[in-house]
Coordinates of all heavy atoms in Angstrom, one line a residue:
G20 N 56.7 8.9 49.2 CA 56.8 10.3 49.0 C 56.6 10.7 47.5 O 55.9 11.7 47.3
V31 N 47.3 20.4 42.5 CA 47.7 21.8 42.3 C 47.5 22.1 40.8 O 46.9 23.2 40.5 CB 49.1 22.0 42.8 CG1 49.6 23.4 42.4 CG2 49.2 21.9 44.3
A45 N 35.1 34.0 32.0 CA 34.5 35.2 32.5 C 34.9 36.4 31.6 O 34.1 37.2 31.3 CB 34.9 35.4 33.9
I61 N 44.0 40.5 25.2 CA 44.1 39.7 26.4 C 45.5 39.7 26.9 O 46.4 39.7 26.2 CB 43.6 38.2 26.1 CG1 43.2 37.5 27.4 CG2 44.6 37.5 25.3 CD1 42.4 36.3 27.1

Side-chain angles (χ1 to χ4, degrees):
V31 170
I61 200 164

